[in-house]
Amino acid sequence: MSKSDLFAKYDVPVPRYTSYPTVPQWGRTPTREEWLSSLDRAVTQQDASLALYVHLPFCESLCTYCGCNTVITRDHKRAEPYADLVLRELDTYLAAVPSVGECALRHVHLGGGTPTFSSPTELARLLDG
Ligand code: SF4
């Protein structure tokens, strides 16, 4: 495909890339039971693996182009209780769908936000969890 064909192909308005499936594809929000059942089916498939996204929303200042779900603050102490909640959410998943804990974790993406807003110690605690 030539460069001009590529430009023609991709020079179109598209949804923001930060969610998959993208927002226009979203239908009805699943119930908790539907979501956990779907997760259980996915992780118990043969050769299943997980890609994990952890949203760390904090930034010290707001970029002019930001469209992310972010919390602007210079109070770095806020990262600790947030990490506690993320780890509690993980425990909820592990209790509801134990097979999640046995599935290979192939990718971890820390997004935000600015992941380095958290201290190295705090990030290590989160990733260890
Ligand atoms: S989330 Fe990203 S784009 Fe938004 S303010 Fe923070 S660093 Fe900037």
Side-chain angles (χ1 to χ4, degrees):
M1 186 178 284
S2 71
K3 280 184 187 171
S4 59
D5 288 340
L6 283 173
F7 280 122
K9 180 179 178 183
Y10 293 113
D11 186 23
V12 293
V14 294
R16 283 176 54 80
Y17 62 88
T18 52
S19 53
Y20 182 83
T22 53
V23 174
Q25 310 304 317
W26 292 5
R28 178 182 63 83
T29 305
T31 64
R32 181 180 192 277
E33 288 68 31
E34 287 170 337
W35 163 240
L36 292 176
S37 163
S38 160
L39 182 61
D40 187 48
R41 273 197 311 278
V43 297
T44 52
Q45 286 176 3
Q46 191 175 10
D47 298 327
S49 61
L50 288 172
L52 181 65
Y53 171 76
V54 182
H55 189 70
L56 303 174
F58 303 107
C59 295
E60 286 194 347
S61 59
L62 181 65
C63 299
T64 53
Y65 50 81
C66 182
C68 303
N69 182 1
T70 186
V71 174
I72 305 303
T73 179
R74 291 176 185 270
D75 180 5
H76 288 252
K77 290 193 299 284
R78 292 181 69 176
E80 186 180 335
Y82 183 83
D84 291 340
L85 290 172
V86 170
L87 292 171
R88 251 177 60 194
E89 183 181 6
L90 176 63
D91 286 342
T92 302
Y93 274 111
L94 292 172
V97 186
S99 40
V100 165
E102 294 152 22
C103 194
L105 181 58
R106 300 255 184 251
H107 303 273
V108 176
H109 181 98
L110 303 176
T114 306
T116 52
F117 181 91
S118 300
S119 69
T121 304
E122 197 54 44
L123 273 180
R125 183 174 78 91
L126 186 66
L127 291 173
D128 283 349

